Amino acid sequence: MNYRNLKESEISQLEKNDCFSEDWSQIKVKPEFNLRRLHSVYFAGEVKLGAFSGKVEVEEGIKKPSGIYHSYIEDCSIGDDVYISNVRNLIGYYVDEDVAVENVGSLVVTSESTFGNGVELEVLNEGGGRELPICDKMTAQIAYLMVNYRHDQQLAENLGKLIHDYAETKRSHKGTIGAGARIIGTKTIRNVNIGSYAVIYGANFLEEGTVSSCKEDPVTIGEGVIAKGFIVNSGSTVDGGAILDHTFIGQSVQTGKQFSAEHSVLFANSEAFHSEAVSIFGGPYTVTHHKSTLLIAGAYSFYNAGSGSNKSNHLYKMGPVHQGRLERGSKTGSFSYMLWPTHVGPYSMVLGKHKGSFDTSQFPFSYIDAKSDRSELIPALNLFTVGTLRDIRKWPKRDKRRDPNKLDLIHFDLFSPFVVQKMVNAGKILKQLKDKASKEQRYVSYKGVHIPRLILRTAQKYYEIGIRVYLGHELAKQIDQSKAGTFDELKQELIPRDGNGKGKWVDVSGMFASQQDINRLCEEVKAGKVISVDALTGELEEIYNNYPASSWEWCSHLIGERLGIHFKDITKEQLVEILRDWKENAEKMNNMILKDAQQEFGSNSKIGFGVDGDETTRDKDFASVRGAFEENSFVQELNVESEEIGKRADGLIEKLESM
C-alpha cells in the first residue's frame, strides 16, 4: 500500500486545525488523504492514515463524516473511512476500514501480548490440575480432551503445546480492530484484539483478550462489562454489567444481567444471566438464568439450572478439590443442592437438597430427589416426560450460530450409542438389584442413592421401550437409504465395514464418538502426527462426520448381541420383528409423553385463571390463553409423528417381505 509524507502546506493546515505531532515526518498518509477531516488531533510515534471521504455509521441510523477529531493517536495504522472522535488514548493498533471509535478513554496495547490466547483457566477443579489454555480457535471438543484426559500426561502436554504454538502466532506489540467494528462510550480497552463488525458500547474495562467477531455473526459487548484474560467468539453477547475473569465464551453465547464468571468456559448457544460460575466446564447449551444460582467446579452440557441451584465444594479437608458432572440434558430444580463429588447420568432431573455424594451415571432419564437423609432415584421416568422431548426438539432450532465456521461439533440425537449403552447397562444393573433384594426391602441402594424396590422391574421395562425405539429407528434409516433389490444385497449393505463404532461410546462435550476413535486420535497427538490446532480440529471433524456410519456399526452389534447371532446371519423375519417393535414401542412412548403433557391442561393448571368468575369463566380464560390440549401444536405434532412412524414401519416391512 502506497503512503507518502505530508507536504509542508498540509502540515501548516493541520496545525491550523489544532493538530500536533512530535515529528511530522513520522506521519504517513495515502495519496488521496483529506486533511480537512482531522481536527484537534495529537500524533505521536509512527502513524499511517488512510483516505477519509465518506461517512461511517456510528450507531444504527446515525452516520458521521469519517476522520479523526479531538483524539490522541500513537503508533497506529488507520484505514480508509474511519471515524475516531474524543478518544483520550489510541495506541498501538491497526485499525481497518469503516471503523467507528467514539468517546473512549483508552484503547491501547501497552506491551507485547497474545491477546488472551494461551491464558490458562483452572477449569472443572478449583484445586487445579486441569488447567486449560484457551485460544480463539478453541472448540468444546479440544477443551474436553485437554481438561478430562489428564490421566495421560503425554497427551496433555502435546495438546498444551499445540495451543501454546498457536498463541505464539498471535503475539504482537500491536493489536487489531477489524473492519466495520464499533467502539462507543467505553472506558478502557487494554491489549485486546477486536474482530470485524464487533460492537462494543459502554463497557467499563476489557484487558488481555480477543473479541473474535465476523461480519456474518458479530459480537456485542455492552454496558458495564468488565473482562480480563478472556476470549469471546462470534455471535456472542456480553452485556448488562457481566464480569468475566479468565473466561472463555464460545459462539452465540448470551451473557448479562450481572452474571459473573471466573476460570470458566461456556460453549455454543449457552445462556448465563444473573448467576455466578466458578471453574465450570459449560458445554454447549449450558443455561443459567437466576440470581441465586451458583455453578461451581462442575461439567455441564444441554443443562438448565433451576433458580437457587447450588453446587457445593465446601465440605473438604484438603482444599476445594472436589468436582461434579451432570451429563447432557440434565436439569436441577429450584433451590436444589448438590454436594460434590457427584455424577449424574444424561437427561436426569435433580430435585431437593442432597447432603451426600452419589453416582447415577449409568441411569439416564432419571428423577433424583432428596428424601429426608437419602437421595432417591427413580430410573427411566424422565424418558416419558414432555419436557425431555421438547428440549430435544428445541435445541437444534436454537442453534443461533451464523458464522460460516462453526467451531463446536454438536450431535442432537436423543438416542445414540452413548445414551443407549447406558440404558442397556441400567437394565442389567436393575435386574441384578432386583434378584438380590428381598421382598421385605423397601429400597435397594446403589452408589449413594436409594431406589424403591417396587420400581425396579418397571424401570427395566421403560428402558427396554427406549432401546427398541432406537434399534427400529436406526434400522429404518438404513433400509430407507438402501437401493438394494434383493434381501442378500440389502444384508450386505447393512453389514458395517469401517470398524470404528465398536465398544464404548463417549459424549465429547456435545459430540458423540466411539472411545476407539477418540483413543486413536489421542495416540496420533502423542506421536506428534497432529501438528496444529487446525489439524486437530480437522481430525475431530472427521470423527463427527463419520458418526452415522460408526453409530450404525454399534447399533448393528447390539442387534446381533440381543438376537444371539452375528449380524451377517440376520434373517428377514428378524428385521421385520425389529421394525414391528419400533412401531409398537414408539407409539407407546409417544402416548406416555402425551399423557404427561395432558397434565398441563388439567384442573390444577387452571388455578389462577378466570379470577373473578366461576368454573366456566375459568375454563374459557384458560382456553383463550393456553388453548385446548387437542389443538396444541406439540400434541398435534406428536400424534402425526406416531401415525407417520406406523406408516413408515408398515412400508418398510412390506418392502422387506417383497424381497
Side-chain angles (χ1 to χ4, degrees):
M1 190 174 292
N2 294 325
Y3 287 91
R4 61 174 177 83
N5 291 322
L6 288 166
K7 302 172 185 176
E8 288 297 326
S9 60
E10 291 174 324
I11 294 172
S12 177
Q13 183 60 51
L14 286 170
E15 289 176 341
K16 289 179 182 179
N17 291 351
D18 290 328
C19 295
F20 177 81
S21 174
E22 296 172 346
D23 182 357
W24 285 110
S25 68
Q26 295 279 75
I27 312 304
K28 310 293 183 182
V29 299
K30 280 193 171 182
E32 60 271 33
F33 171 69
N34 183 352
L35 57 84
R36 295 181 179 180
R37 297 289 185 97
L38 277 77
H39 292 271
S40 301
V41 184
Y42 191 113
F43 293 105
E46 295 184 0
V47 177
K48 292 182 178 180
L49 300 174
F52 306 137
S53 58
K55 289 188 174 183
V56 179
E57 187 173 59
V58 180
E59 298 180 55
E60 188 174 355
I62 300 175
K63 292 186 177 182
K64 296 184 179 181
S66 61
I68 307 176
Y69 313 96
H70 305 284
S71 299
Y72 176 90
I73 311 294
E74 179 180 336
D75 290 328
C76 288
S77 178
I78 311 296
D80 294 343
D81 281 329
V82 168
Y83 172 79
I84 299 172
S85 177
N86 293 312
V87 178
R88 191 175 72 244
N89 294 301
L90 176 57
I91 302 173
Y93 271 95
Y94 297 103
V95 183
D96 210 334
E97 63 184 11
D98 192 36
V99 167
V101 185
E102 182 178 58
N103 296 328
V104 172
S106 288
L107 178 51
V108 301
V109 175
T110 58
S111 60
E112 190 177 62
S113 174
T114 56
F115 307 97
N117 292 279
V119 167
E120 283 197 349
L121 315 184
E122 292 182 354
V123 175
L124 188 57
N125 195 308
E126 289 179 275
R130 298 190 183 276
E131 287 76 15
L132 173 67
I134 58 175
C135 69
D136 56 22
K137 290 188 175 183
M138 177 67 68
T139 72
Q141 287 68 47
I142 293 174
Y144 181 93
L145 295 176
M146 279 289 301
V147 170
N148 291 288
Y149 279 50
R150 289 308 174 100
H151 57 278
D152 192 329
Q153 191 61 38
Q154 185 62 56
L155 174 66
E157 289 177 4
N158 285 19
L159 287 171
K161 185 178 185 303
L162 294 181
I163 296 171
H164 171 78
D165 290 348
Y166 175 76
E168 285 303 304
T169 68
K170 296 292 183 176
R171 187 176 295 279
S172 177
H173 286 95
K174 281 196 173 183
T176 59
I177 302 173
R182 303 287 182 266
I183 307 168
I184 312 296
T186 294
K187 293 180 180 178
T188 301
I189 300 177
R190 183 181 299 145
N191 299 344
V192 177
N193 272 344
I194 300 165
S196 300
Y197 295 89
V199 177
I200 302 175
Y201 64 93
N204 277 347
F205 186 80
L206 308 178
E207 182 178 53
E208 292 296 335
T210 292
V211 179
S212 189
S213 184
C214 67
K215 184 175 183 179
E216 297 87 350
D217 214 359
V219 170
T220 298
I221 297 182
E223 295 178 357
V225 170
I226 298 173
K228 303 176 184 178
F230 68 94
I231 302 283
V232 177
N233 268 336
S234 61
S236 291
T237 298
V238 184
D239 202 355
I243 301 174
L244 307 179
D245 182 7
H246 286 70
T247 295
F248 177 91
I249 301 295
Q251 292 178 313
S252 295
V253 173
Q254 309 302 307
T255 61
K257 299 179 182 178
Q258 296 84 49
F259 171 71
S260 69
E262 60 179 278
H263 290 278
S264 295
V265 296
L266 288 169
F267 286 102
N269 298 303
S270 292
E271 296 179 6
F273 301 105
H274 292 303
S275 44
E276 181 180 357
V278 180
S279 293
I280 74 162
F281 191 106
Y285 295 91
T286 295
V287 174
T288 171
H289 277 187
H290 306 286
K291 286 183 179 180
S292 50
T293 297
L294 169 65
L295 304 181
I296 189 167
Y300 314 86
S301 67
F302 301 90
Y303 166 72
N304 198 317
S307 61
S309 294
N310 192 325
K311 313 299 181 289
S312 175
N313 196 15
H314 294 164
L315 295 180
Y316 53 81
K317 297 179 181 179
M318 299 295 290
V321 297
H322 302 298
Q323 62 190 46
R325 190 176 300 275
L326 282 81
E327 294 185 359
R328 72 157 57 203
S330 293
K331 298 180 181 180
T332 47
S334 295
F335 299 103
S336 62
Y337 170 90
M338 298 178 69
L339 178 68
W340 293 157
T342 286
H343 191 168
V344 177
Y347 305 109
S348 294
M349 169 66 82
V350 182
L351 305 167
K353 300 185 183 299
H354 297 265
K355 300 176 182 178
S357 300
F358 56 82
D359 180 358
T360 63
S361 57
Q362 293 303 313
F363 291 98
F365 304 106
S366 293
Y367 269 72
I368 307 160
D369 201 356
K371 298 290 183 70
S372 184
D373 60 343
R374 66 180 182 272
S375 296
E376 182 176 295
L377 172 72
I378 307 296
L381 187 61
N382 210 25
L383 180 57
F384 305 103
T385 60
V386 64
T388 300
L389 189 57
R390 284 188 68 250
D391 286 343
I392 288 295
R393 295 184 177 185
K394 78 184 180 186
W395 285 319
K397 296 175 183 176
R398 294 185 181 182
D399 189 346
K400 298 182 289 291
R401 295 175 293 171
R402 298 190 302 274
D403 191 328
N405 180 26
K406 293 179 174 59
L407 294 173
D408 297 342
L409 305 171
I410 303 175
H411 290 125
F412 294 102
D413 295 0
L414 172 64
F415 293 132
S416 64
F418 170 73
V419 172
V420 176
Q421 73 186 359
K422 290 177 180 286
M423 297 166 70
V424 173
N425 292 341
K428 293 176 182 177
I429 294 168
L430 292 169
K431 184 179 185 306
Q432 291 170 359
L433 292 172
K434 178 182 173 297
D435 291 344
K436 291 179 181 179
S438 68
K439 292 184 179 180
E440 288 73 30
Q441 282 183 260
R442 186 176 177 188
Y443 292 95
V444 297
S445 60
Y446 180 84
K447 294 189 176 183
V449 294
H450 289 72
I451 310 172
R453 182 182 60 82
L454 295 178
I455 201 70
L456 296 174
R457 184 190 294 274
T458 301
Q460 280 182 265
K461 291 180 179 178
Y462 285 173
Y463 281 129
E464 183 64 20
I465 289 172
I467 293 168
R468 293 188 181 199
V469 170
Y470 164 74
L471 295 177
H473 179 259
E474 293 302 304
L475 176 60
K477 284 197 297 186
Q478 299 300 316
I479 299 175
D480 274 339
Q481 296 167 10
S482 172
K483 293 182 171 58
T486 67
F487 181 69
D488 285 340
E489 291 173 350
L490 173 64
K491 192 161 65 169
Q492 284 302 310
E493 290 183 9
L494 293 177
I495 298 172
R497 286 173 173 77
D498 61 11
N500 292 324
K502 296 177 182 178
K504 181 181 177 182
W505 275 61
V506 291
D507 181 358
V508 187
S509 194
M511 180 186 81
F512 296 127
S514 70
Q515 186 72 71
Q516 180 177 315
D517 272 341
I518 297 301
N519 289 345
R520 175 190 53 76
L521 174 58
C522 291
E523 290 302 316
E524 290 179 358
V525 172
K526 288 162 62 178
K529 295 179 180 178
V530 180
I531 61 173
S532 68
V533 172
D534 285 338
L536 179 57
T537 299
E539 293 287 339
L540 287 163
E541 287 175 348
E542 185 177 335
I543 295 173
Y544 173 81
N545 292 329
N546 199 46
Y547 170 69
S550 296
S551 62
W552 168 244
E553 177 172 15
W554 188 89
C555 178
S556 64
H557 178 76
L558 178 61
I559 290 172
E561 187 178 83
R562 286 164 64 91
L563 294 174
I565 61 170
H566 290 293
F567 191 80
K568 63 183 177 61
D569 298 322
I570 201 163
T571 67
K572 185 187 302 184
E573 292 72 25
Q574 287 169 325
L575 293 182
V576 167
E577 187 61 31
I578 292 169
L579 293 173
R580 285 180 177 148
D581 278 347
W582 171 46
K583 175 182 175 180
E584 177 185 339
N585 286 281
E587 183 178 359
K588 187 182 299 183
M589 180 175 168
N590 285 352
N591 286 341
M592 293 175 75
I593 293 171
L594 287 171
K595 186 176 181 180
D596 182 61
Q598 198 163 19
Q599 296 180 41
E600 289 293 305
F601 294 83
S603 57
N604 284 343
S605 295
K606 297 177 182 178
I607 293 172
F609 285 82
V611 62
D612 292 326
D614 55 15
E615 287 189 5
T616 301
T617 303
R618 178 202 67 183
D619 291 347
K620 288 181 178 179
D621 186 34
F622 182 87
S624 69
V625 175
R626 295 282 304 278
F629 173 74
E630 295 78 9
E631 297 170 357
N632 180 268
S633 59
F634 176 84
V635 171
Q636 291 178 340
E637 183 181 331
L638 206 55
N639 281 323
V640 169
E641 180 184 289
S642 293
E643 291 180 13
E644 289 179 346
I645 288 175
K647 291 178 182 177
R648 187 177 169 203
D650 289 342
L652 292 173
I653 290 169
E654 185 177 338
K655 179 179 178 179
L656 279 172
E657 290 178 339
S658 66
M659 286 182 171

